[in-house]
Amino acid sequence: MAEWHIEGDYMETCNCDFLCPCITSNLTAVPTEGDCKAAIAMKITKGEKDGVSLDGLSFIVLLHAPGAMADGNIKVGLIVDEKASDEQTAAIGDIATGAAGGPMEALGPLVGEVAGMEKRPIHFVSDGNRISVSAGDMVDQQIEVITSALPDGGPVRIENVPHPVSTSLALAKALNSRFNAFGIDWDDATGSRNGHFAPFAWSA
């Protein structure tokens, strides 16, 4: 298996109330709505696979679990930055699906359907305590950081969590989250739903 490495920034929203019970139960709890819909957005600041540079590209893994995530039968779909060449798209596809090893490979036994791949213009913007991601007409989500009241401030975090992106996640609330792709539909702007963000570094 060829070696590869990507690093950058991640954020996601899901349809669970804050704080998502999936993360705090090792994926065994039933999600707030009975099912889980989530958009995991990744902005690569630096990376390559098989000599193909992936610097500056983004992708989003959209997923739907019909019940507790640990029970499997998860549907996943991939949205890749439209700026990506065919070679870059293939490389990101291998990484995001776990075909090239790495963190996403561990989710393989839980995936029941790979719904496909689409390309859209992806915008990943960090502005103070807010992070927003959009992917054409398929994803539009924005989170606001939960800031600690401790003297040094910074985001509140949960550690040692079973999440493929990072074992340390910062907490946020979703100001809005809208998904419309691969048969996964969700639209909420109540400000009560769950969000996470973190730097990431993946390799295999």
Side-chain angles (χ1 to χ4, degrees):
M1 185 178 297
E3 292 185 355
W4 56 267
H5 173 81
I6 58 173
E7 60 186 73
D9 296 300
Y10 133 88
M11 70 89 85
E12 74 170 284
T13 68
C14 70
N15 65 329
C16 282
D17 287 341
F18 180 87
L19 175 65
C20 175
C22 305
I23 292 294
T24 55
S25 67
N26 293 314
L27 309 183
T28 62
V30 175
T32 300
E33 299 291 330
D35 64 350
C36 175
K37 298 173 182 176
I40 300 171
M42 315 289 288
K43 179 181 180 180
I44 304 169
T45 55
K46 182 179 180 181
E48 64 86 25
K49 180 180 183 295
D50 298 328
V52 176
S53 172
L54 302 175
D55 295 2
L57 297 174
S58 298
F59 64 92
I60 300 171
V61 177
L62 201 60
L63 64 84
H64 174 254
M69 296 190 73
D71 291 342
N73 198 28
I74 298 172
K75 176 197 286 189
V76 297
L78 176 63
I79 306 171
V80 177
D81 199 323
E82 69 173 11
K83 296 181 297 185
S85 68
D86 289 346
E87 284 186 321
Q88 290 171 322
T89 299
I92 289 173
D94 287 346
I95 291 170
T97 61
M104 295 300 281
E105 184 179 28
L107 287 182
L110 300 179
V111 174
E113 177 186 355
V114 177
M117 188 272 290
E118 297 281 349
K119 296 185 77 170
R120 291 292 189 277
I122 298 178
H123 301 284
F124 192 121
V125 179
S126 297
D127 182 13
N129 285 334
R130 294 188 176 186
I131 305 170
S132 62
V133 171
S134 65
D137 55 349
M138 291 186 162
V139 173
D140 182 14
Q141 58 185 9
Q142 183 180 39
I143 60 174
E144 186 167 53
V145 177
I146 304 297
T147 304
S148 173
L150 293 173
D152 291 339
V156 175
R157 298 181 181 276
I158 49 175
E159 304 289 339
N160 201 32
V161 294
H163 193 285
V165 175
S166 176
T167 59
S168 174
L169 301 178
L171 303 184
K173 285 190 177 181
L175 298 180
N176 64 274
S177 56
R178 180 177 59 81
F179 317 145
N180 180 25
F182 311 111
I184 303 169
D185 297 312
W186 174 248
D187 193 351
D188 181 87
T190 63
S192 64
R193 304 293 174 161
N194 191 73
H196 295 299
F197 67 101
F200 78 93
W202 289 359
S203 61

